[in-house]
Amino acid sequence: MRTLKFGGTSLANAERFLHVANIIENKIKYEKVGIILSAPAKVTNNLVNIIKKTIKNDNTESSMHETKHIFLKILEQVNPLQNNFPYEKLKTIINNEFIELKKNICGINLLGQCPDNIYAKIICRGEILSVAIMNAILQARNHKITIINPVKTLLGIGTYLDSKIDIIESTKRIESMNIPKNHNILMSGFIAGNKKGELVVLGRNGSDYSAAILSSCLHADYCEIWTDVDGIYTCDPKQVPDAKLLTSISYQEAMELSYFGAKVLHPRTIEPIAKFNIPCLIKNTSKPDAKGTLICAQNKEKKHSVKGVTYLNDIAMFHIIGPGMKDMMKMIARVFSSISRDNIWIILITQSSSEHRISFCIPQKDVVRVEYILKNEFYLELKNRLLKPFNIIKKLSIVSIVSTNMKNKPHITASFFSALSYANINTLAVAQGSSENSISAVIKNSNVITAIRTVHQILFNSNQIIEVFLIGIGGIGSTLLQQFYRQKKWLKEKQIDLKICGIANSKTLLINMKGIKLKNWNSYFEKEKNFFTTTKIINAIKKHPLINPVIIDCTADTLLSYQYSHFISHGFHVVTANKKANTTDLTYYKKIRTAAIQFKKKFLYDTNIGAGLPVIDNLQNLLNSGDKLIHFRGILSGSLSFIFGQLEEGITLSQATENAKEIGFTEPNPRDDLSGIDVARKLLILAREVGYQIELKDIKIENLLPDTLQNIPDIKTFMRKLKELDSIFDIRVKKAKIEGKVLRFVGIINKTGQCEVKIDSVDKNDPLYNVKNGENVLAFYSKYYQPIPLVLRGYGAGNNVTAAGVFSDLLRTLPCKVGV
Ligand code: ADP
Ligand code: ASP
Ligand code: MG
């Protein structure tokens, strides 16, 4: 025979009840079945909340109505679809249940508290009604059913709210029922009865345990747990979308996974089925044909040596420190025996005898009780200061990895901790399971999702991940997306996952936290209606924490540049091709850097100067290794490099500008290049980088344009008027030529830090002499590089090189350098 347990989501509505009935019928064709049912989704939580509200004297009318409505709706919708369905009879049962519930609630209200026996009775009503409805459906389909009343048959040992089952006694009781051979069995999960015959429950999520118990009592050949996911995954698939399905795991591994938080199974489920060697299948109710996960004695799956990453939330940690305690072992024994007398779950223990200190974790809900117990137990020691006052830290989580034989796989432990440090997560305590099948770290609740995602990423996927939000999809931004698309596979081979989670322009924001498909991002973007705001990006990662999120700014927007420090403080690295942030006032310039240090994030802007040329990175390396800039000369504008190169060949200024504009080397209005302001901005960034605390206004600029030309916004008029300057430039070019020189538009930082942007005539010996055609050159005369300067030279404009520069900055956000 086979037992089948259906969880809350599998029974959430009428359609699912009928679907579950079909699954059961399919099984009944081949063998006898025992069915265990949970309450429909939400019901147990609602009942718990009704009790809590009553104790607080809050109104429970609407919660009560909502809960009753879940059942009435199921009846109403099953009725027309199921012949012979006893609709009226069930309606009466439900009404009576809620009349009874109201009476209990009145009592709790009067008392101002809820005794555990009443609490247990109330929170399991959903299970009882599920069985009543399913029984009616199966009987209506002419199946022979015996209902097992768990209060009478399953002997619970423990408290009203958290009992274990005595399997031997329960088996005897079931056997004495003499259930006819041709009958199938139906039982409410979650419930048992104590020695006095009173109802007890098996702890939240306890229906899985009921299924394991019934399987053992009936000597089932298989136990099937039907739920809302395809089986057991390497991590909670609702939190880690790329969690991997395990086809099979051993009892030991399943036990460890569920103990440390894999909610798909109640932690007590495995023990009984392992004892009787009953294989257990975890199946998805929505996909009955999918294989699921098999739990058995021998794990056949060799693919993943680590089975899973799990987490437990809302944990509290007690530190007990006893500098005056002579016998630590005795003290430890007293701590744990006093707590365990009260049936409290001690999840994890760490001890340091040299420090006379013991730390342990318990569910946070039990803090008051444990504190009370320990204060009683150690009353005298506390009074005489042999023990320090207990230090209790709340709002913690435990993250664990489960793997067999961890002892022989030290790299797994190393990866676990390096993942936590990669995600910048502080570990408060560590414990290795005595079975050496698990290792756990205690961290803050607020870090838990990032922690499991990072640990999972590093253990099961690539070692490193980048999650990009790209703002600005003009020339550079869209080229960057093409480069991402082409390089994704290459990076994957180097253990780097590149995920594009957001793409935006000034109007639209396309977000997909699982990653936007780059092949046709444009078609998704065009259909997207979500209006762009930076807050939406920040909210997205609050809701769905990421491991290594990066904002890329490929706009020229000033307002956006003022958001960088805000982004950094919310956990993003910032990579920008936009010069605005680095050229506004020094206060903001410094604020971004302070935020980057405080939040351990990177702020990268190498394309601000020389596009793809590695200027800032090199400069920082030099300065970090003790070099000092003496002076600097450079051609920092691709368009002006091109225009001055053309002048040298005898082409007029207006024609040269026209040519530069045609091949896309200039700003939309070439006036912006010729004004020299763009070069001045780059020079300002360089000067600040080497430590000069200056503002843009401190830079002396030789404007190529007279005032009359400077304020012409219309491009055509400007280009026409530019001709007026041709003859003046012609004369200057010729004059320089006579001296064996050429004109170049140069940015200079002199020995005292004064900055200047001007037309300079340079001779053959100058590194700037041969630079034209849009190339940039940067000559650094420094303590280490003199008299011959360090020269960086190459194209300083163009979408491809600039996007590539942004791309290299992006890869610098990774903690490890990309390997070859
Ligand atoms: P049911 O109502 O069927 O008992 P539960 O909600 O109790 O279902 O358990 C199923 C849920 O367990 C899944 O929806 C999933 O979010 C969660 N879960 C946590 N860890 C894991 C894991 N490692 N594998 C599968 N599911 C997991
Ligand atoms: N309905 C109970 C709960 O929600 C038991 C279960 O679903 O397993 O905790
Ligand atoms: Mg469950």
Side-chain angles (χ1 to χ4, degrees):
M1 83 164 296
R2 198 174 278 255
T3 51
L4 314 170
K5 177 258 168 176
F6 294 91
T9 36
S10 309
L11 300 165
N13 53 40
E15 192 195 332
R16 295 202 192 153
F17 258 88
L18 291 169
H19 176 63
V20 165
N22 293 343
I23 293 177
I24 295 169
E25 274 198 305
N26 266 334
K27 301 276 172 179
I28 290 177
K29 279 186 206 155
Y30 305 101
E31 60 193 313
K32 178 172 167 155
V33 298
I35 304 144
I36 302 94
L37 299 184
S38 286
K42 289 193 191 160
V43 168
T44 317
N45 282 345
N46 281 2
L47 293 168
V48 168
N49 284 334
I50 289 171
I51 299 174
K52 283 188 183 156
K53 278 185 183 173
T54 312
I55 294 170
K56 279 202 282 176
N57 222 353
D58 289 349
N59 194 324
T60 57
E61 239 353 89
S62 68
S63 312
M64 196 87 97
H65 178 79
E66 189 202 324
T67 314
K68 187 172 169 186
H69 187 69
I70 292 175
F71 290 102
L72 291 179
K73 201 166 159 201
I74 292 173
L75 296 190
E76 270 163 31
Q77 293 180 349
V78 168
N79 192 30
L81 300 171
Q82 179 61 60
N83 287 338
N84 304 325
F85 186 65
Y87 175 68
E88 289 302 333
K89 187 177 147 200
L90 284 168
K91 207 169 148 188
T92 313
I93 292 177
I94 288 165
N95 282 329
N96 289 342
E97 275 293 345
F98 279 84
I99 291 169
E100 189 64 24
L101 177 62
K102 268 199 176 145
K103 280 189 207 155
N104 283 321
I105 291 301
C106 276
I108 296 169
N109 200 0
L110 284 174
L111 273 174
Q113 57 171 312
C114 180
D116 285 354
N117 59 337
I118 305 294
Y119 195 106
K121 225 182 199 170
I122 292 177
I123 65 170
C124 68
R125 291 346 272 172
E127 271 65 15
I128 289 168
L129 292 177
S130 283
V131 161
I133 298 171
M134 187 57 76
N135 182 40
I137 296 173
L138 293 174
Q139 302 262 14
R141 294 182 184 186
N142 290 325
H143 294 290
K144 296 193 164 50
I145 304 289
T146 292
I147 293 180
I148 289 187
N149 177 353
V151 182
K152 290 197 176 140
T153 45
L154 301 188
L155 174 62
I157 315 279
T159 62
Y160 288 110
L161 300 181
D162 192 11
S163 276
K164 277 183 79 172
I165 306 283
D166 178 334
I167 297 181
I168 297 175
E169 175 59 26
S170 306
T171 307
K172 272 191 212 150
R173 290 183 188 180
I174 291 178
E175 277 167 3
S176 70
M177 281 174 73
N178 288 325
I179 299 169
K181 284 225 157 45
N182 61 345
H183 274 216
N184 294 295
I185 293 165
L186 187 53
M187 183 183 89
S188 301
F190 191 36
I191 304 172
N194 64 15
K195 268 193 180 143
K196 291 190 218 159
E198 296 167 308
L199 182 147
V200 298
V201 289
L202 308 175
R204 290 302 306 270
N205 215 7
S207 298
D208 301 326
Y209 179 45
S210 306
I213 293 295
L214 194 64
S215 309
S216 308
C217 296
L218 296 171
H219 312 295
D221 301 305
Y222 263 99
C223 168
E224 296 186 353
I225 309 272
W226 289 75
T227 182
D228 62 345
V229 286
D230 283 359
I232 300 184
Y233 284 80
T234 48
C235 199
D236 185 346
K238 289 197 182 129
Q239 302 299 349
V240 176
D242 55 1
K244 316 227 175 316
L245 183 67
L246 297 163
T247 50
S248 127
I249 56 173
S250 68
Y251 291 128
Q252 181 64 39
E253 290 161 342
M255 205 157 355
E256 210 96 17
L257 281 171
S258 59
Y259 180 90
F260 282 113
K263 189 189 155 215
V264 64
L265 279 180
H266 183 275
R268 289 209 187 105
T269 313
I270 300 301
E271 196 192 314
I273 53 173
K275 191 167 161 196
F276 294 95
N277 208 0
I278 302 169
C280 177
L281 260 178
I282 312 296
K283 301 268 293 175
N284 190 342
T285 311
S286 315
K287 293 191 214 162
D289 297 329
K291 269 190 151 175
T293 302
L294 174 69
I295 308 171
C296 55
Q298 271 303 317
N299 169 23
K300 293 183 195 87
E301 170 157 337
K302 296 279 173 263
K303 202 165 138 203
H304 303 294
S305 63
V306 178
K307 293 303 165 210
V309 181
T310 58
Y311 66 102
L312 286 165
N313 274 340
D314 296 326
I315 302 298
M317 183 156 69
F318 275 67
H319 293 300
I320 300 185
I321 305 166
M325 299 294 285
K326 285 203 188 77
D327 190 342
M328 259 317 261
M329 293 317 284
K330 254 194 198 147
M331 183 187 85
I332 294 171
R334 277 172 64 198
V335 168
F336 294 120
S337 64
S338 58
I339 300 175
S340 60
R341 271 199 299 275
D342 233 48
N343 243 327
I344 285 162
W345 182 28
I346 301 166
I347 307 163
L348 171 155
I349 305 165
T350 62
Q351 184 223 333
S352 153
S353 56
S354 58
E355 263 189 79
H356 289 263
R357 170 198 177 108
I358 176 155
S359 307
F360 61 89
C361 292
I362 55 157
Q364 189 165 299
K365 64 178 174 50
D366 295 327
V367 163
V368 178
R369 268 163 72 203
V370 170
E371 203 180 357
Y372 176 80
I373 293 168
L374 292 177
K375 274 187 177 161
N376 268 343
E377 175 75 31
F378 293 102
Y379 175 75
L380 284 175
E381 286 85 349
L382 285 166
K383 198 174 158 200
N384 294 311
R385 294 168 198 243
L386 296 174
L387 277 186
K388 288 189 179 173
F390 306 134
N391 177 4
I392 308 165
I393 310 173
K394 292 187 199 164
K395 294 190 187 161
L396 299 178
S397 292
I398 297 176
V399 179
S400 311
I401 50 170
V402 172
S403 165
T404 34
N405 198 7
M406 204 111 74
K407 186 171 61 183
N408 296 328
K409 298 168 195 157
H411 64 282
I412 294 177
T413 313
S415 301
F416 178 51
F417 289 109
S418 68
L420 291 174
S421 94
Y422 176 13
N424 247 327
I425 292 171
N426 222 3
T427 305
L428 284 82
V430 175
Q432 178 140 25
S434 55
S435 54
E436 283 171 355
N437 285 343
S438 67
I439 183 152
S440 305
V442 182
I443 60 170
K444 281 189 190 157
N445 261 348
S446 54
N447 286 329
V448 72
I449 301 301
T450 310
I452 55 163
R453 285 191 181 149
T454 315
V455 172
H456 189 272
Q457 170 72 27
I458 287 180
L459 288 174
F460 291 95
N461 296 317
S462 308
N463 286 334
Q464 307 198 74
I465 186 166
I466 309 177
E467 291 132 328
V468 171
F469 293 83
L470 171 67
I471 309 173
I473 43 174
I476 300 169
S478 53
T479 308
L480 185 60
L481 287 172
Q482 286 166 16
Q483 293 181 355
F484 286 162
Y485 178 58
R486 285 200 301 267
Q487 286 307 104
K488 220 173 141 68
K489 196 166 154 244
W490 165 281
L491 290 174
K492 186 89 194 171
E493 280 163 12
K494 294 183 185 322
Q495 293 286 302
I496 294 166
D497 261 351
L498 176 64
K499 237 194 229 176
I500 313 306
C501 297
I503 299 177
N505 63 12
S506 59
K507 295 184 194 72
T508 308
L509 170 65
L510 171 68
I511 283 195
N512 182 345
M513 302 306 263
K514 288 186 187 167
I516 298 165
K517 289 209 175 83
L518 285 179
K519 194 170 176 194
N520 36 15
W521 68 269
N522 242 324
S523 63
Y524 303 115
F525 193 81
E526 274 160 20
K527 281 183 218 136
E528 183 59 64
K529 301 231 160 26
N530 190 17
F531 189 77
F532 166 71
T533 66
T534 52
T535 316
K536 284 185 184 163
I537 297 182
I538 290 170
N539 285 346
I541 75 153
K542 273 189 197 156
K543 240 205 246 154
H544 188 288
L546 297 177
I547 298 169
N548 193 36
V550 186
I551 293 284
I552 300 183
D553 179 4
C554 284
T555 73
D557 192 51
T558 310
L559 285 179
L560 183 62
S561 72
Y562 272 108
Q563 295 292 316
Y564 294 168
S565 57
H566 194 52
F567 277 126
I568 289 171
S569 67
H570 280 89
F572 291 90
H573 301 290
V574 173
V575 170
T576 184
N578 178 353
K579 288 185 276 296
K580 298 284 162 53
N582 281 328
T583 52
T584 51
D585 55 292
L586 260 175
T587 321
Y588 183 60
Y589 180 91
K590 287 181 184 162
K591 189 175 171 190
I592 305 174
R593 282 148 181 87
T594 312
I597 293 168
Q598 183 186 351
F599 295 97
K600 297 193 182 136
K601 294 290 151 194
K602 293 198 176 123
F603 173 51
L604 298 161
Y605 43 89
D606 216 318
T607 48
N608 278 192
I609 303 165
L613 295 178
V615 177
I616 302 288
D617 193 43
N618 270 311
L619 187 56
Q620 286 175 346
N621 286 340
L622 280 180
L623 297 173
N624 289 340
S625 56
D627 202 1
K628 255 196 152 54
L629 184 80
I630 296 171
H631 75 116
F632 166 84
R633 285 165 60 72
I635 294 175
L636 299 172
S637 153
S639 47
L640 291 173
S641 151
F642 182 85
I643 291 168
F644 277 80
Q646 295 243 303
L647 291 182
E648 183 188 330
E649 284 163 29
I651 297 167
T652 60
L653 176 71
S654 58
Q655 187 57 49
T657 310
E658 188 69 54
N659 294 347
K661 185 170 175 290
E662 228 155 71
I663 54 169
F665 264 24
T666 64
E667 294 293 316
N669 191 342
R671 185 194 58 173
D672 298 335
D673 296 287
L674 296 174
S675 71
I677 189 75
D678 191 51
V679 174
R681 283 208 181 96
K682 292 176 183 169
L683 198 64
L684 174 68
I685 298 171
L686 262 188
R688 285 176 169 180
E689 202 65 48
V690 295
Y692 295 116
Q693 311 243 333
I694 59 167
E695 299 283 1
L696 194 57
K697 65 174 170 35
D698 300 323
I699 296 180
K700 207 166 139 199
I701 305 173
E702 179 185 349
N703 193 331
L704 267 66
L705 306 171
D707 291 350
T708 45
L709 276 178
Q710 240 177 99
N711 300 319
I712 303 174
D714 174 56
I715 301 174
K716 267 193 185 155
T717 322
F718 174 78
M719 292 302 281
R720 203 170 13 112
K721 287 254 182 191
L722 192 60
K723 289 201 173 81
E724 292 169 12
L725 296 184
D726 284 351
S727 57
I728 304 170
F729 273 82
D730 194 35
I731 295 166
R732 284 182 81 167
V733 171
K734 281 183 179 143
K735 189 170 169 256
K737 203 170 178 181
I738 293 167
E739 293 166 7
K741 293 179 176 175
V742 291
L743 296 188
R744 294 290 178 253
F745 196 77
V746 184
I748 299 167
I749 305 174
N750 74 13
K751 284 177 191 161
T752 56
Q754 268 160 356
C755 298
E756 194 179 357
V757 170
K758 65 171 188 185
I759 300 173
D760 205 2
S761 36
V762 300
D763 63 24
K764 275 196 178 106
N765 299 322
D766 194 304
L768 278 53
Y769 184 84
N770 281 322
V771 177
K772 45 192 177 181
N773 297 332
E775 267 191 297
N776 278 194
V777 65
L778 296 99
F780 295 95
Y781 298 83
S782 71
K783 195 167 97 185
Y784 297 160
Y785 287 93
Q786 59 168 331
I788 300 171
L790 168 72
V791 176
L792 289 171
R793 178 177 163 179
Y795 285 115
N799 291 339
N800 259 325
V801 286
T802 313
V806 173
F807 205 157
S808 343
D809 269 353
L810 182 67
L811 296 174
R812 283 189 199 114
T813 63
L814 292 168
C816 307
K817 215 172 163 217
V818 182
V820 281

